[in-house]
Amino acid sequence: MIPELTDKYYKEKFTVLNALHQVNDPELNINIVDLGLVYAVEVTDRDINVDMTLSTRSCPMGGMITAHAKLAVEEAMPGYTVVINLVWEPKWNADKISEEGKALLGW
Amino acid sequence: MMPPQDHIPSRYAILPYYATAAVSFVLIGFLCLLSAQAFTDHYFQPKLLAITHLAVLGWATMVIFGASNQLAPVISEQRLYSEKIPVAVFLLKLSGMAMLVTSFWNFSFTWVAFAGGGLLLLSFLLHAYNLFATIKKADSNIINDFILTAHVWLILTAIIGLMLLINLRFPFLPEDHLHYLKLHASIGMAGWFMQLVVGVSSRLVPMFLLSQKEEKKLLTITFYAFNLSLILFLMEGMVFKSTLGRPLYLLIFLIGITCYLRYIWQCHKTAMRKQTDQGMKQTFLALFLLSIPFLLLLFILFAGNKIPVQVFTAYGFAYFFGFISVIIMAQTFKTLPFIVWMHIQKPNQLPELMPKDLFNERWVKWQMLLYLPGFLLFLAGILLQHVLLLYSGSVLMIVAAAFYCFHVFRMLLKLKTK
């Protein structure tokens, strides 16, 4: 997931994605961006909305992963209100995993 | 939906179970060494009864109770109904088990044994109540059905067990003791352990492998096949006091097992995670080891009347010390690091450690490399009635269990340092 260069908030979105790269799935030990769990990042002058999913609905680590995602973005973008939206559509699948993520999963 | 942070149960509802199970596992190894000679005799004798009940209650059921207190809020997306009940259950279960196992070891059936059996039954009822109350609000699904039904079979197993215990001192059962003992053992093995392993693994295996396809219909067939065969088996044994239908019930049960294995195979085939860790490799090994008790059971059912008594002992041993113990050893390192990590880690702090940093993957491999030959040597010792094989097998099992126990406590102690 790479923000458009022409996007007004390109720099902010890039920073948010960099921050989310620090958040790993505890079971797989792969960051949530390369796993394709981050679906969208919306930035306005004051707010940041991240749409993300989990690899499975009943992920026991779900609460911790989303809390860490929020924390990572808040630390990288102080002064913004950060909201993490957990979404289940579209359903997460292998196509969403980056090449780096696939390599780490042993593909 | 996913469980919010406050749905994580208290560590006291889970970790004492894992710690006690690890200690019991070592103790079982020592008792096997001390009683090696007893494994060449009939299975109905004090030392084997004590070891079996320690293995079943102190090791396998102990871990399962701890893990289910962790898993119930995950699958139901609710808080654990009560966090005090697991503490009470743990204390009741531990004291009941100590009383029962020492009574078997000394073959002394006084009020201590009866009180022990009663405390155990009470602990099972309380644990089941807590799980039912936690899961009842969740959407009905086949995995919850497996877990809840397994608890019903556990309670039935315990009731028959208590009846058998009383029957040893005050004989009242119409058929001979061994007839009911076989019912007690079989519904415990198939209704409680097998059904619970199937239910829990059907949730965990696709989650750990990132499987893209889960054929839940196969699990539905497994569920009905298991319970139909168990109900028929129990009714025939208790009401008609017959054994004629057993090959048919085994066949129905085997259909259930086949569907479950096919489900696991589908999960494996469609896994997005191609690299399997030791925990998953050993889980598949445990499923393979399940073939040993099934082959022995087929032999028992179809070999006629003159079956050597050690085949029965080998069947029970292969089930608990092969399939059940290996799957527990494997899944300990797929669950406990995460449980400990969730209690170390704060949501308002980015992690310095990950669950994989809390244990040593190579140790998990070495534990099994020591345990597996120990188990096979001991099994061969039972079948061949060879004491030297029994001694060497139990020594290896003790070393493996001590290694496992050290590994578990090393993880638990991280909670103290953080």
Side-chain angles (χ1 to χ4, degrees):
Chain A
M1 198 188 142
I2 303 163
E4 292 287 327
L5 269 170
T6 51
D7 192 319
K8 184 181 165 189
Y9 294 105
Y10 171 82
K11 196 177 146 204
E12 288 81 357
K13 286 185 179 178
F14 196 80
T15 309
V16 170
L17 282 172
N18 260 343
L20 292 171
H21 260 104
Q22 295 173 45
V23 180
N24 278 7
D25 178 302
E27 159 66 12
L28 302 167
N29 216 26
I30 302 173
N31 72 74
I32 57 174
V33 177
D34 279 327
L35 272 176
L37 297 175
V38 178
Y39 284 177
V41 175
E42 291 301 323
V43 180
T44 64
D45 290 341
R46 295 241 165 250
D47 303 305
I48 295 169
N49 276 288
V50 176
D51 286 354
M52 66 170 287
T53 193
L54 297 170
S55 57
T56 170
R57 266 186 181 244
S58 53
C59 173
M61 302 287 163
M64 199 67 93
I65 296 171
T66 48
H68 287 159
K70 188 171 190 293
L71 192 66
V73 178
E74 281 173 345
E75 280 184 6
M77 301 289 284
Y80 283 82
T81 305
V82 179
V83 177
I84 307 287
N85 304 305
L86 204 54
V87 296
W88 301 110
E89 291 296 332
K91 198 178 169 199
W92 179 75
N93 59 54
D95 298 339
K96 303 198 183 301
I97 308 172
S98 72
E99 289 308 313
E100 289 83 354
K102 283 179 179 166
L104 290 167
L105 285 169
W107 287 47
Chain B
M1 284 294 291
M2 46 105 200
Q5 202 58 33
D6 63 355
H7 284 188
I8 298 172
S10 147
R11 64 178 74 173
Y12 301 107
I14 301 160
L15 301 179
Y17 290 93
Y18 274 91
T20 309
V23 174
S24 300
F25 194 31
V26 181
L27 192 58
I28 293 160
F30 277 109
L31 293 184
C32 284
L33 181 67
L34 280 175
S35 320
Q37 187 72 48
F39 281 87
T40 59
D41 297 333
H42 194 279
Y43 59 89
F44 188 73
Q45 55 114 320
K47 304 297 183 255
L48 261 61
L49 286 171
I51 292 170
T52 305
H53 283 86
L54 185 60
V56 167
L57 300 165
W59 162 234
T61 303
M62 200 60 96
V63 170
I64 290 171
F65 273 24
S68 57
N69 286 334
Q70 169 71 26
L71 198 64
V74 173
I75 58 175
S76 62
E77 293 159 13
Q78 310 280 333
R79 280 183 71 93
L80 194 62
Y81 174 72
S82 162
E83 293 198 350
K84 286 182 182 153
I85 290 179
V87 178
V89 167
F90 173 74
L91 295 172
L92 288 169
K93 192 168 185 290
L94 188 63
S95 41
M97 182 187 77
M99 291 158 95
L100 188 71
V101 170
T102 47
S103 297
F104 277 130
W105 187 264
N106 300 319
F107 215 64
S108 150
F109 300 102
T110 60
W111 67 269
V112 178
F114 304 134
L119 290 178
L120 283 167
L121 180 58
L122 180 63
S123 74
F124 297 164
L125 287 166
L126 283 172
H127 177 77
Y129 172 72
N130 205 26
L131 279 199
F132 273 79
T134 306
I135 294 179
K136 73 175 179 193
K137 288 182 195 155
D139 295 338
S140 173
N141 68 57
I142 195 68
I143 289 164
N144 292 357
D145 293 344
F146 269 115
I147 293 171
L148 295 179
T149 315
H151 282 81
V152 174
W153 286 109
L154 171 69
I155 290 163
L156 282 171
T157 307
I159 291 170
I160 299 175
L162 199 55
M163 283 164 54
L164 282 165
L165 202 57
I166 297 167
N167 193 57
L168 280 173
R169 181 78 186 266
F170 309 104
F172 70 99
L173 292 170
E175 289 292 308
D176 81 291
H177 197 84
L178 291 186
H179 172 77
Y180 297 100
L181 183 69
K182 283 175 189 165
L183 292 179
H184 169 66
S186 300
I187 63 167
M189 288 158 88
W192 164 237
F193 283 113
M194 193 67 213
Q195 198 149 211
L196 199 98
V197 166
V198 167
V200 172
S201 62
S202 301
R203 171 55 61 97
L204 295 183
V205 168
M207 194 170 87
F208 289 140
L209 294 178
L210 299 178
S211 305
Q212 297 187 83
K213 196 176 169 194
E214 290 177 55
E215 282 196 49
K216 291 267 169 66
K217 273 183 196 164
L218 291 168
L219 292 179
T220 308
I221 300 171
T222 303
F223 179 78
Y224 287 106
F226 277 9
N227 287 292
L228 177 68
S229 69
L230 280 163
I231 291 167
L232 291 172
F233 171 76
L234 189 63
M235 275 183 48
E236 190 191 51
M238 292 299 275
V239 182
F240 303 107
K241 289 142 192 133
S242 151
T243 56
L244 289 173
R246 286 186 183 176
L248 173 68
Y249 315 146
L250 179 67
L251 180 70
I252 300 172
F253 201 83
L254 278 175
I255 292 170
I257 295 264
T258 309
C259 287
Y260 164 68
L261 292 175
R262 199 178 146 75
Y263 169 83
I264 294 291
W265 173 245
Q266 283 282 352
C267 291
H268 183 255
K269 229 170 61 176
T270 61
M272 282 189 257
R273 191 179 189 180
K274 303 294 179 196
Q275 280 172 341
T276 40
D277 52 24
Q278 276 301 317
M280 290 314 293
K281 279 180 190 159
Q282 292 179 15
T283 300
F284 293 132
L285 170 69
L287 293 176
F288 174 73
L289 289 176
L290 186 59
S291 57
I292 301 177
F294 264 97
L295 288 174
L296 291 168
L297 185 60
L298 287 176
F299 181 76
I300 290 167
L301 283 176
F302 298 108
N305 290 329
K306 294 205 171 165
I307 303 160
V309 75
Q310 66 265 31
V311 179
F312 290 94
T313 312
Y315 161 65
F317 179 82
Y319 187 81
F320 280 111
F321 291 85
F323 171 55
I324 297 286
S325 293
V326 170
I327 207 162
I328 290 176
M329 287 173 81
Q331 285 299 315
T332 298
F333 297 94
K334 295 298 296 176
T335 54
L336 191 57
F338 295 89
I339 296 168
V340 171
W341 184 78
M342 279 196 279
H343 286 102
I344 291 175
Q345 198 51 52
K346 305 279 181 290
N348 58 355
Q349 191 187 337
L350 285 173
E352 293 165 17
L353 285 175
M354 293 306 275
K356 71 163 186 58
D357 302 317
L358 299 177
F359 70 102
N360 188 324
E361 178 86 358
R362 274 198 303 182
W363 288 10
V364 179
K365 184 179 175 181
W366 274 102
Q367 281 161 205
M368 194 49 65
L369 287 177
L370 288 164
Y371 184 78
L372 197 60
F375 159 71
L376 292 171
L377 280 172
F378 204 92
L379 181 67
I382 294 172
L383 285 167
L384 303 171
Q385 296 189 298
H386 197 294
V387 180
L388 198 62
L389 288 175
L390 291 166
Y391 280 129
S392 44
S394 53
V395 168
L396 278 173
M397 281 162 61
I398 292 170
V399 176
F403 198 175
Y404 167 90
C405 187
F406 173 73
H407 207 171
V408 165
F409 273 87
R410 188 170 164 263
M411 254 190 287
L412 295 177
L413 288 173
K414 307 255 182 199
L415 282 165
K416 220 177 168 184
T417 55
K418 284 281 161 186

